[in-house]
Amino acid sequence: MRVTGRIVLVAMAVALGLCAPAAADGPGTGTPAVVTLGDSAISGEAGRWAGNTNGDPARVDALGPTAYWDTPSGEAIPGCHRSKAAQAHIGHGVLSYNLACSGATTATHGTAAGEAFKPGIDFYSDAQGRKGQALALQELAATRNVKAVVVMIGANNYGFADVVTRCVANWLTSPSWWKNYCSDDSDMTSRFTPARIASETANVRNALVRVSDAMAHAGYIPAQYKILAQTYWSPLPRGAQIRYPETGWARQAVGGCGVWNRDADWANDTVVTALNTTTRDAAATSGLGNVRVLDLQTALNGRRLCENTVGLLEETGVASWTSAGAVDKTEWVEQIRTATAIVGPYQIQEASHASYWGQLAMRNCLRQAYNGGDVRGGTCVREADGLTSDGEPRMALR
């Protein structure tokens, strides 16, 4: 009788909701999670390759042909290149979701038939089930305990890929005694005027607000999570630090960094500065109290493409990316390839992106910014040679 009575009491309690089952993950409840939004710089583009070589690609192939698969059979959105090396995956008991997409701008584009779909940080939705990154975040966050949303966006608003293409083309098609600079081409300079910067800052600011709206729609209050507005790293050193001379063909044919010194300086002083001023000002004027800035502008310094402190595997005597010390002797940015990317395994869209070591360096930065759930901003820099116990470059968040 006692057992029967207890069963009856438990049944009554469940019916009245007094003994509800354990709550599922949701806003403020369950396993903590990090979500990344944005473009190729955060999706993990070039994350397949650990260093550069003009020899056998297998020597730098860290992840193999499935590097960009984010489903068991391929990419959820072709060309987004959400690599397994992407910074989102900080581990240590934290779930991670990479919603970023290579080629993305603040607004969704490529929606017409035959175009490559690129979800922006908006609430786009169509009959094919395609969604903008803000809407995807909203739906994901409703059943996850999201502590940080990392946003890296804006480079494609300025047409960063077009800038790289023009600068390399001008180097290839002009002699050293009659240099044709990209930095004085009107269609390049017009992208970085004060008016254009103000316009793109507004676009990035609105994207951050849409992230906040998505989280509110998912049931969050601002105190339950942080938005990390992440700046872009410099992929190329200033001209004086490029290890190949301006004369001859080695700068591009060997190093994959065919730009004039003056254009390399302009890329750092104007282009990267504009991208990151946009990010910082967008965060500062967003009106969102839970936004922090994670500054990566100098995170790859000393390991950039063609920098005189590193080299190709064959230039530094490194057998492969797995060799001892490879992380400190080789580049963390993928070469700007032309003919060698036509038939694979390299892809043109990987050019000038942080590759495997660079992605893992950013992951280390993000884990420190996550800070055990007490999310903070800061400036991330390379701290020392070698790898951490997680197999990542040693970075410091200051």
Side-chain angles (χ1 to χ4, degrees):
M1 291 294 293
R2 287 181 181 177
V3 173
T4 302
R6 287 173 184 166
I7 292 173
V8 171
L9 289 174
V10 170
M12 291 175 61
V14 170
L16 293 172
L18 301 178
C19 290
D25 285 6
T29 302
T31 306
V34 168
V35 182
T36 52
L37 309 178
D39 57 28
S40 56
I42 195 169
S43 75
E45 184 71 78
R48 177 176 178 177
W49 310 106
N52 289 310
T53 181
N54 291 322
D56 185 351
R59 297 174 66 192
V60 293
D61 195 351
L63 298 179
T66 64
Y68 304 123
W69 287 19
D70 55 345
T71 78
S73 57
E75 290 191 86
I77 303 175
C80 277
H81 280 194
R82 297 166 175 165
S83 83
K84 296 177 176 68
Q87 71 177 87
H89 308 306
I90 63 174
H92 292 255
V94 180
L95 300 176
S96 55
Y97 301 92
N98 183 2
L99 302 181
C101 185
S102 183
T105 62
T106 49
T108 293
H109 63 278
T111 59
E115 294 181 338
F117 177 69
K118 301 295 180 182
I121 302 181
D122 57 19
F123 293 94
Y124 177 85
S125 179
D126 63 23
Q128 299 177 56
R130 302 181 301 186
K131 301 168 185 176
Q133 293 183 44
L135 180 56
L137 169 67
Q138 176 181 317
E139 295 178 353
L140 174 72
T143 57
R144 303 292 187 277
N145 182 20
V146 176
K147 293 295 186 182
V149 182
V150 192
V151 183
M152 194 177 194
I153 197 71
N156 293 322
N157 285 53
Y158 285 101
F160 181 77
D162 295 335
V163 173
V164 173
T165 299
R166 173 63 61 82
C167 292
V168 173
N170 283 14
W171 185 88
L172 286 169
T173 57
S174 64
S176 60
W177 45 268
W178 194 271
K179 298 170 184 172
N180 182 13
Y181 297 111
C182 63
S183 52
D184 59 11
D185 290 352
S186 60
D187 60 332
M188 294 289 106
T189 58
S190 65
R191 299 167 189 257
F192 303 102
T193 62
R196 178 67 179 272
I197 291 172
S199 175
E200 299 304 351
T201 298
N203 286 331
V204 174
R205 178 173 60 246
N206 291 338
L208 294 176
V209 171
R210 288 192 289 272
V211 169
S212 177
D213 291 343
M215 294 296 283
H217 295 158
Y220 289 76
I221 60 173
Q224 291 177 309
Y225 72 100
K226 294 290 193 302
I227 299 172
L228 282 174
Q230 187 165 282
T231 66
Y232 291 88
W233 25 263
S234 164
L236 187 72
R238 297 177 64 82
Q241 297 168 296
I242 295 177
R243 63 180 181 267
Y244 306 103
E246 285 191 289
T247 57
W249 293 102
R251 184 166 286 196
Q252 178 59 33
V254 177
C257 57
V259 299
W260 298 115
N261 284 353
R262 195 174 94 177
D263 288 341
D265 292 348
W266 173 75
N268 279 280
D269 298 341
T270 297
V271 179
V272 174
T273 296
L275 299 184
N276 293 340
T277 297
T278 291
T279 297
R280 296 184 189 103
D281 288 353
T285 60
S286 66
L288 304 173
N290 62 340
V291 173
R292 304 290 183 268
V293 174
L294 178 54
D295 191 345
L296 300 183
Q297 184 162 334
T298 63
L300 306 187
N301 284 17
R303 302 290 185 267
R304 291 172 291 182
L305 180 62
C306 291
E307 199 156 10
N308 57 16
T309 49
V310 285
L312 305 178
L313 264 65
E314 53 268 31
E315 293 173 336
T316 58
V318 175
S320 79
W321 74 275
T322 61
S323 299
V327 64
D328 301 313
K329 297 176 182 178
T330 59
E331 297 158 326
W332 295 0
V333 177
E334 178 65 9
Q335 287 180 318
I336 303 169
R337 295 181 180 275
T338 52
T340 55
I342 293 175
V343 296
Y346 300 112
Q347 298 184 44
I348 290 175
Q349 71 182 71
E350 295 169 329
S352 74
H353 286 85
S355 49
Y356 180 80
W357 296 124
Q359 297 290 339
L360 295 191
M362 293 190 291
R363 182 185 295 179
N364 188 341
C365 295
L366 178 54
R367 186 183 301 106
Q368 292 182 59
Y370 178 75
N371 194 33
D374 185 15
V375 183
R376 66 188 182 99
T379 299
C380 198
V381 297
R382 191 167 49 83
E383 181 177 41
D385 288 350
L387 298 171
T388 68
S389 58
D390 290 302
E392 299 163 357
R394 297 182 183 277
M395 310 296 291
L397 186 65
R398 297 170 180 166

